[in-house]
Amino acid sequence: MHLADFVAGSIGGAFGVAVGYPLDTVKVRIQTQRRFAGVWQCIHSTWKAEGVNGFYRGMSMPVTTVSVSSSVVFGVYRNVLQCFRQLRSSSATLDFLPAKVDVFLSGLSGGVAQVSVMAPADIVKVRMQCQMVHQGLDAQKPKYRGPVHCLFSIARTEGILGLYKGAGALALRDGPSFATYFTIYHVICEQLASPGKSQPEWKVILLAGGVSGMCGWCIGTPMDVIKSRLQVDGMGKRRYNGFFHCIEQSVRTEGPGVLFKGLGLNCIRAFPVNMSVFAMYELVVRLLRQTP
């Protein structure tokens, strides 16, 4: 087992959250609130009513939990990939180029594996981001005083399973999304690799990380919309009876385009975030393995 990949994934994930959280808040609000006509209106309304703090609501828990879940994603991905390498090559060296299907399946495994860790943190993040909008911006007493209070409130009022509301959509988002993510990253690094070098240059890592993040969100955004709507459904009057009812109601009332709400924002956010994640991941891995 390569522990360096778990550690590097953890640090890279936390760094990525810090970079992309403000735009993530805007994305979640656009996906779940019909009152916002577009990105700039949401940004302006949030800034005017809540100030800069409004863009960072609920960030403390995601920094911690995304660090853990990113550790799981990268750790599972690299270790599953190593298993495929051992099956395909007796030497199982790191220089052995994996088949693209192996990369895809390893990424899929990593994406699904982290849902058990990510689901409770994700519902807390989404509800913290949206509670001021649900209650009204002039609400005197927020329903959730902070991420930890939100976590225990959901568990108390909706049961432990309430923390996993939208987990099915999360798995359907992250499995294919991370499979695409790692595959695109691998292909770009492979195509742009300098002759004679076993590791990609930093400019290639930055480009591959940014592009792979955007491609991953192109695949994951429809399930991201459904996941977010299911997660905020417990904050007020229940609108959805379940996963399929949420899809049916959303498409029927707002059209098929609703499944791609926030896609542009996701892609804009994904480039710097995943560029940062992969750069930090590769840096930490190289330091831990003490390679030039």
Side-chain angles (χ1 to χ4, degrees):
M1 179 177 289
H2 298 286
L3 294 178
D5 296 297
F6 286 95
V7 175
S10 175
I11 296 173
F15 191 68
V17 171
V19 171
Y21 199 83
L23 285 179
D24 184 68
T25 296
V26 175
K27 180 263 298 183
V28 168
R29 290 187 174 190
I30 287 174
Q31 288 179 337
T32 59
Q33 310 300 319
R34 298 179 66 177
R35 55 174 290 191
F36 297 120
V39 172
W40 292 113
Q41 185 203 356
C42 183
I43 292 174
H44 176 73
S45 298
T46 302
W47 177 268
K48 185 178 179 181
E50 303 171 63
V52 68
N53 289 336
F55 295 98
Y56 288 93
R57 291 190 181 277
M59 192 180 90
S60 58
M61 184 168 286
V63 166
T64 303
T65 52
V66 169
S67 177
V68 175
S69 66
S70 186
S71 171
V72 172
V73 169
F74 278 88
V76 170
Y77 163 73
R78 288 303 295 266
N79 282 281
V80 171
L81 191 59
Q82 185 66 9
C83 289
F84 281 125
R85 283 173 171 171
Q86 290 174 346
L87 290 174
R88 293 179 182 275
S89 171
S90 58
S91 61
T93 62
L94 289 175
D95 293 331
F96 179 76
L97 290 176
K100 292 177 180 62
V101 66
D102 294 350
V103 175
F104 185 88
L105 292 175
S106 298
L108 183 70
S109 301
V112 173
Q114 57 95 48
V115 171
S116 61
V117 177
M118 189 65 181
D122 198 59
I123 192 171
V124 169
K125 173 186 76 70
V126 168
R127 292 199 179 184
M128 288 295 295
Q129 287 172 324
C130 294
Q131 74 165 336
M132 296 299 289
V133 179
H134 268 273
Q135 290 183 255
L137 297 173
D138 58 347
Q140 297 297 313
K141 187 178 180 181
K143 182 177 181 179
Y144 305 121
R145 296 192 296 270
V148 175
H149 179 251
C150 179
L151 181 75
F152 284 106
S153 294
I154 295 171
R156 185 177 65 253
T157 59
E158 302 174 50
I160 296 298
L161 291 179
L163 295 171
Y164 288 87
K165 186 174 288 184
L170 186 62
L172 288 173
R173 182 196 76 175
D174 286 351
S177 180
F178 275 108
T180 303
Y181 180 63
F182 284 111
T183 302
I184 296 297
Y185 180 80
H186 170 76
V187 169
I188 293 176
C189 287
E190 185 179 75
Q191 293 297 316
L192 299 182
S194 299
K197 290 189 176 181
S198 61
Q199 295 176 327
E201 297 179 4
W202 288 108
K203 60 183 179 182
V204 175
I205 290 171
L206 295 175
L207 175 65
V211 173
S212 64
M214 293 174 69
C215 292
W217 274 112
C218 288
I219 300 297
T221 293
M223 285 299 103
D224 188 54
V225 173
I226 300 305
K227 182 268 306 178
S228 295
R229 293 190 170 203
L230 288 171
Q231 288 173 330
V232 300
D233 200 35
M235 296 180 72
K237 184 179 178 182
R238 292 290 300 274
R239 297 172 58 192
Y240 309 118
N241 296 325
F243 175 75
F244 292 107
H245 184 246
C246 180
I247 296 176
E248 187 271 327
Q249 283 288 96
S250 297
V251 172
R252 185 171 61 83
T253 58
E254 299 175 62
V258 69
L259 296 176
F260 293 93
K261 255 189 175 180
L263 174 59
L265 195 59
N266 274 336
C267 289
I268 292 171
R269 181 176 64 95
F271 196 93
V273 167
N274 291 285
M275 183 175 67
S276 303
V277 168
F278 267 109
M280 186 61 68
Y281 169 79
E282 293 286 355
L283 176 63
V284 175
V285 164
R286 293 182 189 190
L287 287 174
L288 292 177
R289 289 178 178 164
Q290 297 183 339
T291 55

